[in-house]
Amino acid sequence: MQKLDLGSEADSFAQGGNRLCFFHPMDAGKCVKTLRKDRSPELKQKEKGIKGWLKPLSSFDDNQQEYSTFLRIADIYGPQALQFIPRCYGMVATNHGPGLVTDLVRDFDGAISMTLKQYVWIHGNTPRVKNCIAAFQQAWETIGLPSRNLLLHNIVVQLTAEDTIQRLVVIDGLGWADVLPFGWWSRTLARAKAARKAERLTEAIEALLEIKRTNGDWGYHGWMEPAQRYAGVSTAPVATS
Ligand SMILES: Nc1ncnc2c1ncn2[C@@H]1O[C@H](COP(=O)(O)OP(=O)(O)O)[C@@H](O)[C@H]1O
Ligand SMILES: [Mg+2]
């Protein structure tokens, strides 16, 4: 089978702790995520020592895990989930190994939407952010969507105008992390767990802003420079200095 050519690692538009994120070469509205070579399932299993050997190797493959989670969410929750997560188009063979294809979240001007972490770092906890977090928390709980701890760099803020947030989209960290994930079978339990995960966002935002106030360290993940966010967009803003 023909492999999708995603170019070199340096062509990825972003990297997380586990994966490289590439533009889909045939569709600007989609992205393809592949596993980082230095974070292979084998290495991750080894790092866990004896505990690691108790779990199958596939459980350390973030892409496969996320793909099954997307399928399960589509099956159980239907289209209502797509307000909060990208649509998934399945796995494809690529020159960087199996790639997971999903919608790439973009703003009104074509820029790749920035993470909630970056948005809050730049704009602060403004009334606009507060309203949008409150609406998200309520909807996330009502639907009872499955996630690990919701991290600010795994959520992107999609804008419909410079000053208008359309929605928050969770692009990583979906699925229940429990050994026995009863949340898949009980919607009441799922709602209670989802409420707790969403509530923690408020503290995470405060903690991030405290780091900024005290000139602390940004950390590793979740920042994209304008050149990365506007790569390939003809309306990219011109740098002024
Ligand atoms: N569908 C998407 N739309 C927009 N940006 C995305 C999307 N998926 C990932 N990103 C960007 O890429 C970064 C890394 O992706 P992520 O899926 O979190 O990788 P990892 O699984 O390695 O943590 C995110 O923090 C975000 O900035
Ligand atoms: Mg991530």
Side-chain angles (χ1 to χ4, degrees):
M1 195 173 63
Q2 182 87 36
K3 286 183 183 167
L4 203 58
D5 185 357
L6 302 173
S8 73
E9 287 194 8
D11 292 318
S12 58
F13 68 82
Q15 275 197 25
N18 293 295
R19 297 179 292 181
L20 300 171
C21 305
F22 294 91
F23 294 110
H24 193 296
M26 266 108 73
D27 188 339
K30 294 181 185 152
C31 61
V32 187
K33 300 188 190 183
T34 62
L35 294 182
R36 280 172 45 172
K37 296 274 176 302
D38 57 338
R39 301 292 298 143
S40 70
E42 288 80 4
L43 280 174
K44 285 167 67 178
Q45 189 183 44
K46 228 182 220 168
E47 275 171 13
K48 291 274 174 201
I50 305 236
K51 257 168 97 186
W53 302 113
L54 299 173
K55 288 183 170 182
L57 186 61
S58 60
S59 69
F60 295 92
D61 181 331
D62 276 29
N63 257 356
Q64 277 301 341
Q65 289 301 318
E66 194 166 275
Y67 181 37
S68 344
T69 302
F70 272 123
L71 291 176
R72 214 158 174 184
I73 291 177
D75 194 32
I76 297 176
Y77 295 83
Q80 62 174 341
L82 295 176
Q83 172 68 15
F84 305 98
I85 63 172
R87 188 185 285 273
C88 175
Y89 301 91
M91 301 287 288
V92 288
T94 81
N95 58 325
H96 293 286
L100 182 65
V101 183
T102 67
D103 277 331
L104 173 59
V105 185
R106 289 184 185 269
D107 293 342
F108 66 100
D109 57 358
I112 298 171
S113 298
M114 68 172 76
T115 62
L116 181 55
K117 184 177 176 186
Q118 183 171 0
Y119 191 91
V120 166
W121 190 270
I122 294 173
H123 300 282
N125 198 4
T126 59
R128 191 175 293 138
V129 170
K130 285 188 179 139
N131 286 339
C132 139
I133 295 288
F136 174 88
Q137 286 168 324
Q138 176 154 31
W140 194 259
E141 172 182 355
T142 305
I143 304 181
L145 280 163
S147 77
R148 286 127 209 281
N149 286 337
L150 290 167
L151 305 176
L152 301 180
H153 57 263
N154 285 335
I155 298 175
V156 295
V157 182
Q158 189 172 35
L159 304 179
T160 37
E162 202 63 66
D163 57 0
T164 315
I165 299 175
Q166 184 191 357
R167 59 179 183 142
L168 299 183
V169 187
V170 179
I171 49 86
D172 183 23
L174 294 167
W176 300 122
D178 320 74
V179 181
L180 294 172
F182 290 116
W184 288 119
W185 298 287
S186 159
R187 190 60 74 94
T188 311
L189 181 62
R191 289 199 178 109
K193 287 164 75 68
R196 279 201 297 277
K197 306 277 182 200
E199 262 165 35
R200 289 200 194 139
L201 282 178
T202 312
E203 290 155 40
I205 288 174
E206 283 312 322
L208 177 70
L209 289 174
E210 183 55 23
I211 291 175
K212 187 178 175 190
R213 267 192 295 273
T214 53
N215 292 322
D217 187 24
W218 159 267
Y220 292 108
H221 303 297
W223 189 275
M224 284 177 77
E225 293 298 334
Q228 288 171 280
R229 297 185 53 234
Y230 283 94
V233 179
S234 54
T235 53
V238 179
T240 46
S241 61

